[in-house]
Amino acid sequence: MTPPTEIIVVPLARESRRVVADLVALTKPRVVLMIVVTTLVGYYVGLTSAPEWVRVLHLALGTMLAAGGTLALNQYWEREVDARMERTRARPLPDGRLAPLEALVFGGAITALGILELAAFVSVAAAAVTLATFALYLFAYTPLKLRTALCTLVGAVPGALPPVTGWVAAREDLGAGAWILFGILFLWQLPHTLAIGQLYRDDYARAGVRLLPVIDPDGTRTERQIVTGCLALLGVSLLPTLVGLAGAVYFAGALALGLGLVALATREALASSVTRARRVLFASLLYLPALLALLALDKV
């Protein structure tokens, strides 16, 4: 016979694990990992002396908490929109596995904790950039998604700030290197986000999200912007060598990666298809970590 306490404790333990798993899912761990990596690359590229490992740890932890909290609050804000899309309706909030108040309290708490962590143990400047990232993402980009296709450009700003956080954590300034890193991340998001928009156009349209592919039925403007974004990214990605942040190996690698991305985008523009849009998306996912790895390995 099963003891009465076990009858109560086992379901409670399972329920607790499910709630924890759903709260973690709110933070979008894979996106947070990319944010932390780009922040640390910004820190490393900005260094002028040996890294301070305790500072690095606090930078990574504070960034992880603030980014995860911001993404959780974004899901709280967009829970009704997510419920109307096939690709997002199984998330914890639209599926009803978490209450909105749980997401709001959790997201707000870890965002505040992350910003305070950065202010106390890294620098006020790093915390300020992170606070700006939070504010722009949540209060500019998120509401604009239902109003204008310019949301992609607005959203690319907070998406490009993490390496700037890392740079100011290393140097306490906003030098040319910080803006180059910002430019690379900003421009990378254009083909990446627009390719996603092409693949899920119907889903976004059903939810009322005004991405460019939704309001561009024949795809001409979308494809033109993807190619333009890739060309601009190619040019900006070469700047680290030209300003003395990286060496010739990085330059050659950035040139090869950029030309490859431009070629795929151009092929997609000339003969648009789901398969080719998917290739552009996949190439963009490979491009960024490869470029950042080259930049870190060939830092001058």
Side-chain angles (χ1 to χ4, degrees), residues 20-75:
V20 170
D22 285 336
L23 289 173
V24 171
L26 282 182
T27 67
K28 298 184 180 179
R30 286 183 294 181
V31 177
V32 169
L33 176 61
M34 185 185 76
I35 291 169
V36 171
V37 168
T38 56
T39 301
L40 294 179
V41 170
Y43 176 79
Y44 180 70
V45 173
L47 281 176
T48 55
S49 58
E52 301 175 32
W53 294 110
V54 174
R55 191 182 184 90
V56 171
L57 180 62
H58 286 297
L59 176 62
L61 180 60
T63 299
M64 180 182 69
L65 291 170
T70 301
L71 292 166
L73 290 171
N74 172 255
Q75 288 199 54

Side-chain angles (χ1 to χ4, degrees), residues 133-163:
T133 304
F134 158 77
L136 288 168
Y137 188 84
L138 204 61
F139 301 117
Y141 169 62
T142 298
L144 285 177
K145 288 169 73 174
L146 300 179
R147 298 178 184 178
T148 173
L150 292 175
C151 64
T152 301
L153 291 174
V154 174
V157 174
L161 284 175

Side-chain angles (χ1 to χ4, degrees), residues 79-100:
R79 61 193 184 278
E80 293 180 4
V81 174
D82 286 346
R84 297 196 291 266
M85 293 199 294
E86 291 289 340
R87 63 189 290 263
T88 56
R89 63 175 48 173
R91 287 176 175 174
L93 285 171
D95 194 47
R97 300 195 307 274
L98 286 176

Side-chain angles (χ1 to χ4, degrees), residues 11 30 52 63 69 104 156 176-177 187 251 261 268 271:
R30 286 183 294 181
E52 301 175 32
T63 299
L104 178 61
L187 293 168
F251 187 91
L261 195 58
E268 203 279 331

Side-chain angles (χ1 to χ4, degrees), residues 85-121:
M85 293 199 294
E86 291 289 340
R87 63 189 290 263
T88 56
R89 63 175 48 173
R91 287 176 175 174
L93 285 171
D95 194 47
R97 300 195 307 274
L98 286 176
L101 183 60
E102 291 175 309
L104 178 61
V105 172
F106 172 73
I110 65 171
T111 299
L113 187 61
I115 293 172
L116 289 173
E117 170 88 10
L118 293 170
F121 299 108

Side-chain angles (χ1 to χ4, degrees), residues 2-299:
T2 305
T5 53
E6 188 173 334
I7 294 174
I8 298 172
V9 170
V10 171
L12 284 175
R14 289 174 181 167
E15 178 68 11
S16 297
R17 286 197 295 270
R18 183 193 63 76
V19 170
V20 170
D22 285 336
L23 289 173
V24 171
L26 282 182
T27 67
K28 298 184 180 179
R30 286 183 294 181
V31 177
V32 169
L33 176 61
M34 185 185 76
I35 291 169
V36 171
V37 168
T38 56
T39 301
L40 294 179
V41 170
Y43 176 79
Y44 180 70
V45 173
L47 281 176
T48 55
S49 58
E52 301 175 32
W53 294 110
V54 174
R55 191 182 184 90
V56 171
L57 180 62
H58 286 297
L59 176 62
L61 180 60
T63 299
M64 180 182 69
L65 291 170
T70 301
L71 292 166
L73 290 171
N74 172 255
Q75 288 199 54
Y76 165 79
W77 189 310
E78 294 189 318
R79 61 193 184 278
E80 293 180 4
V81 174
D82 286 346
R84 297 196 291 266
M85 293 199 294
E86 291 289 340
R87 63 189 290 263
T88 56
R89 63 175 48 173
R91 287 176 175 174
L93 285 171
D95 194 47
R97 300 195 307 274
L98 286 176
L101 183 60
E102 291 175 309
L104 178 61
V105 172
F106 172 73
I110 65 171
T111 299
L113 187 61
I115 293 172
L116 289 173
E117 170 88 10
L118 293 170
F121 299 108
V122 180
S123 72
V124 172
V129 176
T130 302
L131 180 61
T133 304
F134 158 77
L136 288 168
Y137 188 84
L138 204 61
F139 301 117
Y141 169 62
T142 298
L144 285 177
K145 288 169 73 174
L146 300 179
R147 298 178 184 178
T148 173
L150 292 175
C151 64
T152 301
L153 291 174
V154 174
V157 174
L161 284 175
V164 178
T165 301
W167 179 279
V168 299
R171 291 204 184 191
E172 296 289 334
D173 66 33
L174 285 171
W179 293 111
I180 290 171
L181 291 170
F182 175 88
I184 290 172
L185 266 291
F186 179 89
L187 293 168
W188 170 81
Q189 289 173 89
L190 302 184
H192 176 75
T193 304
L194 291 174
I196 294 174
Q198 285 183 307
L199 291 172
Y200 298 101
R201 179 189 293 117
D202 294 340
D203 220 10
Y204 284 120
R206 184 164 46 249
V209 178
R210 304 279 292 173
L211 291 181
L212 180 59
V214 173
I215 63 171
D216 178 32
D218 64 1
T220 303
R221 290 165 58 197
T222 302
E223 290 149 9
R224 184 167 61 245
Q225 289 202 18
I226 288 175
V227 174
T228 301
C230 289
L231 286 169
L233 177 59
L234 171 60
V236 173
S237 71
L238 302 178
L239 291 178
T241 297
L242 301 180
V243 301
L245 287 176
V249 172
Y250 167 81
F251 187 91
L255 182 61
L257 288 169
L259 289 174
L261 195 58
V262 168
L264 286 173
T266 303
R267 285 187 63 194
E268 203 279 331
L270 293 174
S272 181
S273 70
V274 171
T275 299
R276 289 183 173 178
R278 200 177 301 279
R279 285 175 183 166
V280 172
L281 174 59
F282 184 67
S284 72
L285 290 170
L286 293 177
Y287 172 93
L288 188 61
L291 187 79
L292 294 177
L294 280 168
L295 183 57
L297 290 172
D298 197 34
K299 174 193 171 185

